[in-house]
mmCIF file with all atom_site columns, all heavy atoms in Angstrom:
data_model
loop_
_atom_site.group_PDB
_atom_site.id
_atom_site.type_symbol
_atom_site.label_atom_id
_atom_site.label_alt_id
_atom_site.label_comp_id
_atom_site.label_asym_id
_atom_site.label_entity_id
_atom_site.label_seq_id
_atom_site.pdbx_PDB_ins_code
_atom_site.Cartn_x
_atom_site.Cartn_y
_atom_site.Cartn_z
_atom_site.occupancy
_atom_site.B_iso_or_equiv
_atom_site.pdbx_formal_charge
_atom_site.auth_seq_id
_atom_site.auth_comp_id
_atom_site.auth_asym_id
_atom_site.auth_atom_id
_atom_site.pdbx_PDB_model_num
ATOM 1   N N   . LEU A 1 34  ? 118.297 110.863 104.398 1.00 98.00 ? 34  LEU A N   1
ATOM 2   C CA  . LEU A 1 34  ? 119.699 110.615 104.732 1.00 98.00 ? 34  LEU A CA  1
ATOM 3   C C   . LEU A 1 34  ? 120.043 111.442 105.956 1.00 98.00 ? 34  LEU A C   1
ATOM 4   O O   . LEU A 1 34  ? 119.844 112.661 105.948 1.00 98.00 ? 34  LEU A O   1
ATOM 5   C CB  . LEU A 1 34  ? 120.611 111.017 103.570 1.00 98.00 ? 34  LEU A CB  1
ATOM 6   C CG  . LEU A 1 34  ? 122.114 111.084 103.874 1.00 98.00 ? 34  LEU A CG  1
ATOM 7   C CD1 . LEU A 1 34  ? 122.686 109.685 104.068 1.00 98.00 ? 34  LEU A CD1 1
ATOM 8   C CD2 . LEU A 1 34  ? 122.846 111.829 102.761 1.00 98.00 ? 34  LEU A CD2 1
ATOM 9   N N   . VAL A 1 35  ? 120.545 110.790 107.009 1.00 97.00 ? 35  VAL A N   1
ATOM 10  C CA  . VAL A 1 35  ? 121.036 111.535 108.158 1.00 97.00 ? 35  VAL A CA  1
ATOM 11  C C   . VAL A 1 35  ? 122.430 112.025 107.785 1.00 97.00 ? 35  VAL A C   1
ATOM 12  O O   . VAL A 1 35  ? 123.375 111.236 107.675 1.00 97.00 ? 35  VAL A O   1
ATOM 13  C CB  . VAL A 1 35  ? 121.068 110.671 109.434 1.00 97.00 ? 35  VAL A CB  1
ATOM 14  C CG1 . VAL A 1 35  ? 121.668 111.461 110.596 1.00 97.00 ? 35  VAL A CG1 1
ATOM 15  C CG2 . VAL A 1 35  ? 119.663 110.187 109.782 1.00 97.00 ? 35  VAL A CG2 1
ATOM 16  N N   . VAL A 1 36  ? 122.560 113.325 107.571 1.00 96.00 ? 36  VAL A N   1
ATOM 17  C CA  . VAL A 1 36  ? 123.840 113.925 107.188 1.00 96.00 ? 36  VAL A CA  1
ATOM 18  C C   . VAL A 1 36  ? 124.746 113.997 108.406 1.00 96.00 ? 36  VAL A C   1
ATOM 19  O O   . VAL A 1 36  ? 125.940 113.695 108.334 1.00 96.00 ? 36  VAL A O   1
ATOM 20  C CB  . VAL A 1 36  ? 123.627 115.320 106.573 1.00 96.00 ? 36  VAL A CB  1
ATOM 21  C CG1 . VAL A 1 36  ? 124.953 115.965 106.213 1.00 96.00 ? 36  VAL A CG1 1
ATOM 22  C CG2 . VAL A 1 36  ? 122.702 115.232 105.357 1.00 96.00 ? 36  VAL A CG2 1
ATOM 23  N N   . GLU A 1 37  ? 124.154 114.384 109.511 1.00 93.00 ? 37  GLU A N   1
ATOM 24  C CA  . GLU A 1 37  ? 124.807 114.400 110.825 1.00 93.00 ? 37  GLU A CA  1
ATOM 25  C C   . GLU A 1 37  ? 123.672 114.490 111.841 1.00 93.00 ? 37  GLU A C   1
ATOM 26  O O   . GLU A 1 37  ? 122.552 114.859 111.480 1.00 93.00 ? 37  GLU A O   1
ATOM 27  C CB  . GLU A 1 37  ? 125.788 115.563 110.960 1.00 93.00 ? 37  GLU A CB  1
ATOM 28  C CG  . GLU A 1 37  ? 125.155 116.929 110.808 1.00 93.00 ? 37  GLU A CG  1
ATOM 29  C CD  . GLU A 1 37  ? 126.171 118.054 110.803 1.00 93.00 ? 37  GLU A CD  1
ATOM 30  O OE1 . GLU A 1 37  ? 127.371 117.803 110.902 1.00 93.00 ? 37  GLU A OE1 1
ATOM 31  O OE2 . GLU A 1 37  ? 125.738 119.204 110.708 1.00 93.00 ? 37  GLU A OE2 1
ATOM 32  N N   . PRO A 1 38  ? 123.921 114.133 113.085 1.00 92.00 ? 38  PRO A N   1
ATOM 33  C CA  . PRO A 1 38  ? 122.835 114.216 114.068 1.00 92.00 ? 38  PRO A CA  1
ATOM 34  C C   . PRO A 1 38  ? 122.182 115.601 114.057 1.00 92.00 ? 38  PRO A C   1
ATOM 35  O O   . PRO A 1 38  ? 122.864 116.623 114.130 1.00 92.00 ? 38  PRO A O   1
ATOM 36  C CB  . PRO A 1 38  ? 123.537 113.921 115.388 1.00 92.00 ? 38  PRO A CB  1
ATOM 37  C CG  . PRO A 1 38  ? 124.657 113.001 114.992 1.00 92.00 ? 38  PRO A CG  1
ATOM 38  C CD  . PRO A 1 38  ? 125.145 113.564 113.671 1.00 92.00 ? 38  PRO A CD  1
ATOM 39  N N   . GLY A 1 39  ? 120.871 115.611 113.876 1.00 91.00 ? 39  GLY A N   1
ATOM 40  C CA  . GLY A 1 39  ? 120.124 116.862 113.841 1.00 91.00 ? 39  GLY A CA  1
ATOM 41  C C   . GLY A 1 39  ? 119.973 117.472 112.460 1.00 91.00 ? 39  GLY A C   1
ATOM 42  O O   . GLY A 1 39  ? 119.298 118.485 112.293 1.00 91.00 ? 39  GLY A O   1
ATOM 43  N N   . LYS A 1 40  ? 120.602 116.868 111.445 1.00 94.00 ? 40  LYS A N   1
ATOM 44  C CA  . LYS A 1 40  ? 120.517 117.415 110.093 1.00 94.00 ? 40  LYS A CA  1
ATOM 45  C C   . LYS A 1 40  ? 120.266 116.281 109.102 1.00 94.00 ? 40  LYS A C   1
ATOM 46  O O   . LYS A 1 40  ? 121.114 115.394 108.952 1.00 94.00 ? 40  LYS A O   1
ATOM 47  C CB  . LYS A 1 40  ? 121.809 118.148 109.715 1.00 94.00 ? 40  LYS A CB  1
ATOM 48  C CG  . LYS A 1 40  ? 121.763 118.769 108.343 1.00 94.00 ? 40  LYS A CG  1
ATOM 49  C CD  . LYS A 1 40  ? 123.044 119.518 108.030 1.00 94.00 ? 40  LYS A CD  1
ATOM 50  C CE  . LYS A 1 40  ? 122.968 120.130 106.647 1.00 94.00 ? 40  LYS A CE  1
ATOM 51  N NZ  . LYS A 1 40  ? 124.243 120.735 106.268 1.00 94.00 ? 40  LYS A NZ  1
ATOM 52  N N   . ASN A 1 41  ? 119.099 116.331 108.451 1.00 97.00 ? 41  ASN A N   1
ATOM 53  C CA  . ASN A 1 41  ? 118.715 115.310 107.482 1.00 97.00 ? 41  ASN A CA  1
ATOM 54  C C   . ASN A 1 41  ? 118.580 115.916 106.098 1.00 97.00 ? 41  ASN A C   1
ATOM 55  O O   . ASN A 1 41  ? 118.223 117.084 105.948 1.00 97.00 ? 41  ASN A O   1
ATOM 56  C CB  . ASN A 1 41  ? 117.378 114.678 107.859 1.00 97.00 ? 41  ASN A CB  1
ATOM 57  C CG  . ASN A 1 41  ? 117.428 113.984 109.202 1.00 97.00 ? 41  ASN A CG  1
ATOM 58  O OD1 . ASN A 1 41  ? 118.476 113.571 109.671 1.00 97.00 ? 41  ASN A OD1 1
ATOM 59  N ND2 . ASN A 1 41  ? 116.275 113.859 109.831 1.00 97.00 ? 41  ASN A ND2 1
ATOM 60  N N   . ALA A 1 42  ? 118.836 115.092 105.090 1.00 98.00 ? 42  ALA A N   1
ATOM 61  C CA  . ALA A 1 42  ? 118.540 115.448 103.701 1.00 98.00 ? 42  ALA A CA  1
ATOM 62  C C   . ALA A 1 42  ? 117.347 114.590 103.293 1.00 98.00 ? 42  ALA A C   1
ATOM 63  O O   . ALA A 1 42  ? 117.360 113.376 103.496 1.00 98.00 ? 42  ALA A O   1
ATOM 64  C CB  . ALA A 1 42  ? 119.742 115.164 102.816 1.00 98.00 ? 42  ALA A CB  1
ATOM 65  N N   . ILE A 1 55  ? 129.704 116.039 101.252 1.00 94.00 ? 55  ILE A N   1
ATOM 66  C CA  . ILE A 1 55  ? 130.462 115.048 102.030 1.00 94.00 ? 55  ILE A CA  1
ATOM 67  C C   . ILE A 1 55  ? 131.758 114.701 101.305 1.00 94.00 ? 55  ILE A C   1
ATOM 68  O O   . ILE A 1 55  ? 132.831 114.605 101.930 1.00 94.00 ? 55  ILE A O   1
ATOM 69  C CB  . ILE A 1 55  ? 129.591 113.792 102.282 1.00 94.00 ? 55  ILE A CB  1
ATOM 70  C CG1 . ILE A 1 55  ? 128.481 114.123 103.284 1.00 94.00 ? 55  ILE A CG1 1
ATOM 71  C CG2 . ILE A 1 55  ? 130.440 112.620 102.774 1.00 94.00 ? 55  ILE A CG2 1
ATOM 72  C CD1 . ILE A 1 55  ? 127.366 113.085 103.361 1.00 94.00 ? 55  ILE A CD1 1
ATOM 73  N N   . TYR A 1 58  ? 134.156 117.522 101.857 1.00 90.00 ? 58  TYR A N   1
ATOM 74  C CA  . TYR A 1 58  ? 134.602 117.518 103.249 1.00 90.00 ? 58  TYR A CA  1
ATOM 75  C C   . TYR A 1 58  ? 135.690 116.482 103.478 1.00 90.00 ? 58  TYR A C   1
ATOM 76  O O   . TYR A 1 58  ? 136.667 116.734 104.179 1.00 90.00 ? 58  TYR A O   1
ATOM 77  C CB  . TYR A 1 58  ? 133.412 117.261 104.182 1.00 90.00 ? 58  TYR A CB  1
ATOM 78  C CG  . TYR A 1 58  ? 133.802 117.165 105.632 1.00 90.00 ? 58  TYR A CG  1
ATOM 79  C CD1 . TYR A 1 58  ? 134.018 118.326 106.385 1.00 90.00 ? 58  TYR A CD1 1
ATOM 80  C CD2 . TYR A 1 58  ? 133.998 115.939 106.246 1.00 90.00 ? 58  TYR A CD2 1
ATOM 81  C CE1 . TYR A 1 58  ? 134.399 118.256 107.713 1.00 90.00 ? 58  TYR A CE1 1
ATOM 82  C CE2 . TYR A 1 58  ? 134.379 115.851 107.581 1.00 90.00 ? 58  TYR A CE2 1
ATOM 83  C CZ  . TYR A 1 58  ? 134.581 117.013 108.306 1.00 90.00 ? 58  TYR A CZ  1
ATOM 84  O OH  . TYR A 1 58  ? 134.969 116.931 109.629 1.00 90.00 ? 58  TYR A OH  1
ATOM 85  N N   . ARG A 1 97  ? 130.945 103.237 112.462 1.00 94.00 ? 97  ARG A N   1
ATOM 86  C CA  . ARG A 1 97  ? 129.626 103.709 112.900 1.00 94.00 ? 97  ARG A CA  1
ATOM 87  C C   . ARG A 1 97  ? 128.693 102.513 112.967 1.00 94.00 ? 97  ARG A C   1
ATOM 88  O O   . ARG A 1 97  ? 128.737 101.632 112.111 1.00 94.00 ? 97  ARG A O   1
ATOM 89  C CB  . ARG A 1 97  ? 129.062 104.741 111.922 1.00 94.00 ? 97  ARG A CB  1
ATOM 90  C CG  . ARG A 1 97  ? 129.781 106.063 111.962 1.00 94.00 ? 97  ARG A CG  1
ATOM 91  C CD  . ARG A 1 97  ? 129.062 107.067 111.105 1.00 94.00 ? 97  ARG A CD  1
ATOM 92  N NE  . ARG A 1 97  ? 129.752 108.345 111.101 1.00 94.00 ? 97  ARG A NE  1
ATOM 93  C CZ  . ARG A 1 97  ? 129.655 109.240 110.141 1.00 94.00 ? 97  ARG A CZ  1
ATOM 94  N NH1 . ARG A 1 97  ? 128.863 108.999 109.102 1.00 94.00 ? 97  ARG A NH1 1
ATOM 95  N NH2 . ARG A 1 97  ? 130.301 110.372 110.200 1.00 94.00 ? 97  ARG A NH2 1
ATOM 96  N N   . ASN A 1 117 ? 120.766 105.991 107.876 1.00 97.00 ? 117 ASN A N   1
ATOM 97  C CA  . ASN A 1 117 ? 121.228 106.591 109.132 1.00 97.00 ? 117 ASN A CA  1
ATOM 98  C C   . ASN A 1 117 ? 122.534 105.928 109.545 1.00 97.00 ? 117 ASN A C   1
ATOM 99  O O   . ASN A 1 117 ? 122.543 104.982 110.328 1.00 97.00 ? 117 ASN A O   1
ATOM 100 C CB  . ASN A 1 117 ? 120.163 106.427 110.225 1.00 97.00 ? 117 ASN A CB  1
ATOM 101 C CG  . ASN A 1 117 ? 120.666 106.877 111.582 1.00 97.00 ? 117 ASN A CG  1
ATOM 102 O OD1 . ASN A 1 117 ? 121.633 107.617 111.683 1.00 97.00 ? 117 ASN A OD1 1
ATOM 103 N ND2 . ASN A 1 117 ? 120.029 106.407 112.629 1.00 97.00 ? 117 ASN A ND2 1
ATOM 104 N N   . SER A 1 118 ? 123.641 106.413 109.008 1.00 95.00 ? 118 SER A N   1
ATOM 105 C CA  . SER A 1 118 ? 124.930 105.812 109.340 1.00 95.00 ? 118 SER A CA  1
ATOM 106 C C   . SER A 1 118 ? 125.350 106.103 110.780 1.00 95.00 ? 118 SER A C   1
ATOM 107 O O   . SER A 1 118 ? 126.269 105.469 111.290 1.00 95.00 ? 118 SER A O   1
ATOM 108 C CB  . SER A 1 118 ? 126.018 106.291 108.376 1.00 95.00 ? 118 SER A CB  1
ATOM 109 O OG  . SER A 1 118 ? 126.309 107.654 108.582 1.00 95.00 ? 118 SER A OG  1
ATOM 110 N N   . TYR A 1 119 ? 124.659 107.016 111.438 1.00 94.00 ? 119 TYR A N   1
ATOM 111 C CA  . TYR A 1 119 ? 124.989 107.344 112.830 1.00 94.00 ? 119 TYR A CA  1
ATOM 112 C C   . TYR A 1 119 ? 124.292 106.435 113.839 1.00 94.00 ? 119 TYR A C   1
ATOM 113 O O   . TYR A 1 119 ? 124.621 106.468 115.024 1.00 94.00 ? 119 TYR A O   1
ATOM 114 C CB  . TYR A 1 119 ? 124.633 108.801 113.129 1.00 94.00 ? 119 TYR A CB  1
ATOM 115 C CG  . TYR A 1 119 ? 125.537 109.784 112.445 1.00 94.00 ? 119 TYR A CG  1
ATOM 116 C CD1 . TYR A 1 119 ? 125.243 110.254 111.176 1.00 94.00 ? 119 TYR A CD1 1
ATOM 117 C CD2 . TYR A 1 119 ? 126.700 110.227 113.058 1.00 94.00 ? 119 TYR A CD2 1
ATOM 118 C CE1 . TYR A 1 119 ? 126.074 111.146 110.531 1.00 94.00 ? 119 TYR A CE1 1
ATOM 119 C CE2 . TYR A 1 119 ? 127.539 111.120 112.423 1.00 94.00 ? 119 TYR A CE2 1
ATOM 120 C CZ  . TYR A 1 119 ? 127.218 111.571 111.154 1.00 94.00 ? 119 TYR A CZ  1
ATOM 121 O OH  . TYR A 1 119 ? 128.054 112.447 110.520 1.00 94.00 ? 119 TYR A OH  1
ATOM 122 N N   . ASP A 1 122 ? 123.413 107.245 117.684 1.00 91.00 ? 122 ASP A N   1
ATOM 123 C CA  . ASP A 1 122 ? 124.073 108.499 118.026 1.00 91.00 ? 122 ASP A CA  1
ATOM 124 C C   . ASP A 1 122 ? 123.233 109.737 117.671 1.00 91.00 ? 122 ASP A C   1
ATOM 125 O O   . ASP A 1 122 ? 123.548 110.833 118.107 1.00 91.00 ? 122 ASP A O   1
ATOM 126 C CB  . ASP A 1 122 ? 125.434 108.598 117.336 1.00 91.00 ? 122 ASP A CB  1
ATOM 127 C CG  . ASP A 1 122 ? 126.445 107.644 117.938 1.00 91.00 ? 122 ASP A CG  1
ATOM 128 O OD1 . ASP A 1 122 ? 126.223 107.128 119.058 1.00 91.00 ? 122 ASP A OD1 1
ATOM 129 O OD2 . ASP A 1 122 ? 127.472 107.391 117.262 1.00 91.00 ? 122 ASP A OD2 1
ATOM 130 N N   . ILE A 1 123 ? 122.155 109.546 116.912 1.00 92.00 ? 123 ILE A N   1
ATOM 131 C CA  . ILE A 1 123 ? 121.315 110.700 116.586 1.00 92.00 ? 123 ILE A CA  1
ATOM 132 C C   . ILE A 1 123 ? 120.352 111.047 117.719 1.00 92.00 ? 123 ILE A C   1
ATOM 133 O O   . ILE A 1 123 ? 119.724 112.099 117.681 1.00 92.00 ? 123 ILE A O   1
ATOM 134 C CB  . ILE A 1 123 ? 120.519 110.511 115.273 1.00 92.00 ? 123 ILE A CB  1
ATOM 135 C CG1 . ILE A 1 123 ? 119.464 109.427 115.394 1.00 92.00 ? 123 ILE A CG1 1
ATOM 136 C CG2 . ILE A 1 123 ? 121.450 110.272 114.100 1.00 92.00 ? 123 ILE A CG2 1
ATOM 137 C CD1 . ILE A 1 123 ? 118.480 109.388 114.243 1.00 92.00 ? 123 ILE A CD1 1
#
Side-chain angles (χ1 to χ4, degrees):
L34 168 71
V35 177
V36 178
E37 60 186 1
K40 182 178 180 186
N41 299 336
I55 289 166
Y58 177 80
R97 289 187 181 156
N117 173 19
S118 69
Y119 289 89
D122 289 344
I123 67 168

